[in-house]
Amino acid sequence: MAMKIARVDPGSEAEALGLAAGDELLSVDENELNDSLDYDFYTDSKSFHLKARVADGIREWDVQRTERGPFGCDFQTYLGDQKHSCSNHCMFCFIDQLPPGMRESLYFKDDDERLSFLFGNYITMTNMQDHEIDRIIKMHISPINISVHTTNPQLRVRMLANKRGGEVLKYLPRLVEGGIAVNCQLVLCRGINDGDELRRTLSDLLELTPMVQSIAAVPCGVTDYREKLFRQTPYDAATSAEVIDIMEEFGDECKRRHGKRIIYPSDEWYLKAGRPIPPEEFYEDFDQLENGVGMMRLYASEFLAELEKPHRIYGTKKMDVVTGEMASPLIHQMMAELHRQYPMVEVTVHTIKNKFFGGNVGVAGLVTATDIIAQCEGRLTSGTLGVPAVMLREEKDTFLDDITIDQLAQRLGVKVEVLPTAGGDEARALLRSGLHIARRRRA
């Protein structure tokens, strides 16, 4: 393997050696270089032996450095390699249920242990081999996030539609024994991997705690775009309550064993079951926020805590905001409390039904501009629309349906303001924007 250099940082040690764009790094201390993780791990040393292919052939250096740190080579991609794609055909895959016309990048299925470490992505391990597990342990790439779904090998093969689905479960204890912390995700499909199968999975994972440091269960997302896909029955109140009872039972056992709950149902289960979201202490360190575990409780706690701080507001501020069906009751509650404590700030909440995906998806992060336009056009009264950042891609400028913030503003004839996702940050943004407008009016 070789890593082709795209750019060398000016003034770096790599430049001092004479390395340039187009040269290829072959090995460090005789260790093969496959990607940027290899490169960063082996060059982060005060001394190493480097081998590279340059314009006039193969060259080698014994590198001596005054301190560890970046060596100075950049590559075409942040991985120094292409992303590893998914080899499964999971019965619950949300990407397979996407409608046409969305951002092209959304249709790519990654299953890459490097993205798990770097960005928190979840992996199934079905495209991994023993040497990749060895590398994770050697480099102590920790934590790793794993989509387990079930520890029943035969059932996992069926759910992932991959013959390696059960075989690679052996990697879980290997990672744990190698000192790698693991976060686990269970996507539950009604009547498939819940009930007794969920108990089996949690029993097996319980034996790997506390190195398995968190386990979250989320319900399978169901859209209207499931033609020729495995038929899924959405969870109702009763079946959601059954999942909660099992998850809380095993979480209580973890609490007894380790002093920490570790096992958590996502917020959606409580909303579907009509049960209150647990208190803040239930979620401890909020280890599974990315899976919607405790997100609503944390948002509310931070929002209300911010309102308790002194804020001096002059003038008045009105704003319209949008949210998804799931968070709607909470957002209404928070905005009402904001207005009670600061009557000069008035926020009108618009609940957006997700018709883009067929009406069965209620999370705010999957709301599209298409639905916002259809359901808000002619109904906005403030001249400013607040859009939660969670609805936008990482650059905070484009929705899932490839419509930009500017296009939304133009279509609705309003100013669009992107609101932070965290409760405290959002409360401050609403209060600051009111202060900002009041000052501008006084000027």
Side-chain angles (χ1 to χ4, degrees), residues 125-408:
M125 306 184 294
T126 54
N127 60 5
M128 297 180 67
Q129 303 295 330
D130 288 354
H131 71 274
E132 291 167 299
I133 298 298
D134 292 337
R135 182 176 83 147
I136 289 172
I137 294 171
K138 178 181 179 180
M139 294 185 177
H140 198 74
I141 298 173
S142 181
I144 291 291
N145 300 329
I146 299 176
S147 291
V148 178
H149 310 313
T150 177
T151 55
N152 178 335
Q154 292 75 31
L155 179 57
R156 197 166 191 261
V157 168
R158 177 189 169 201
M159 292 189 71
L160 273 56
N162 187 321
K163 63 182 181 182
R164 297 199 71 228
E167 171 193 340
V168 297
L169 286 170
K170 66 184 180 183
Y171 292 149
L172 270 170
R174 277 191 57 191
L175 289 170
V176 165
E177 290 163 8
I180 304 301
V182 175
N183 298 306
C184 295
Q185 175 194 67
L186 314 175
V187 175
L188 299 186
C189 300
R190 185 172 169 180
I192 304 295
N193 61 331
D194 51 10
D196 288 342
E197 288 293 347
L198 176 58
R199 290 182 175 279
R200 169 182 174 155
T201 297
L202 294 176
S203 295
D204 291 342
L205 294 178
L206 188 62
E207 298 307 309
L208 300 177
T209 56
M211 288 306 295
V212 167
Q213 61 184 13
S214 71
I215 304 165
V218 301
C220 167
V222 180
T223 80
D224 278 1
Y225 298 90
R226 292 195 59 84
E227 187 179 354
K228 298 180 181 178
L229 299 178
F230 183 89
R231 183 175 180 178
Q232 295 282 358
T233 303
Y235 282 90
D236 56 19
T239 51
S240 295
E242 291 171 6
V243 170
I244 292 172
D245 291 341
I246 294 173
M247 295 292 289
E248 288 189 350
E249 173 192 336
F250 279 85
D252 291 342
E253 176 60 25
C254 275
K255 191 87 172 176
R256 284 191 290 270
R257 291 192 187 188
H258 307 297
K260 188 175 180 183
R261 180 161 295 276
I262 294 176
I263 297 172
Y264 311 95
S266 69
D267 296 357
E268 193 170 351
W269 298 109
Y270 293 97
L271 297 174
K272 285 177 176 290
R275 294 187 181 181
I277 301 291
E280 191 169 352
E281 56 268 21
F282 178 89
Y283 297 102
E284 298 160 329
D285 297 325
F286 290 92
D287 289 326
Q288 287 267 6
L289 277 174
E290 70 278 6
N291 273 316
V293 175
M295 184 176 291
M296 298 183 74
R297 175 57 62 201
L298 183 61
Y299 171 90
S301 298
E302 292 181 345
F303 194 98
L304 294 175
E306 187 62 34
L307 295 188
E308 293 302 315
K309 299 177 183 177
H311 294 274
R312 184 173 294 177
I313 307 291
Y314 300 98
T316 61
K317 169 66 187 293
K318 289 188 176 182
M319 176 185 278
D320 294 272
V321 300
V322 290
T323 188
E325 290 182 291
M326 188 184 303
S328 179
L330 175 64
I331 301 302
H332 274 90
Q333 180 187 350
M334 293 300 105
M335 297 310 155
E337 182 61 21
L338 171 65
H339 183 62
R340 187 187 71 80
Q341 296 194 37
Y342 296 91
M344 67 290 292
V345 180
E346 185 177 339
V347 179
T348 302
V349 180
H350 300 267
T351 303
I352 305 301
K353 184 174 179 61
N354 199 324
K355 296 181 179 180
F356 190 87
F357 287 103
N360 297 313
V361 177
V363 295
L366 293 175
V367 169
T368 62
T370 300
D371 281 333
I372 294 174
I373 292 168
Q375 297 171 48
C376 288
E377 200 162 23
R379 298 181 58 214
L380 306 179
T381 59
S382 70
T384 301
L385 178 63
V387 173
V390 72
M391 294 182 182
L392 305 168
R393 69 176 182 177
E394 193 170 328
E395 292 81 2
K396 303 296 179 266
D397 60 355
T398 309
F399 290 87
L400 287 171
D401 51 358
D402 218 16
I403 295 176
T404 67
I405 284 289
D406 290 342
Q407 290 170 330
L408 176 68

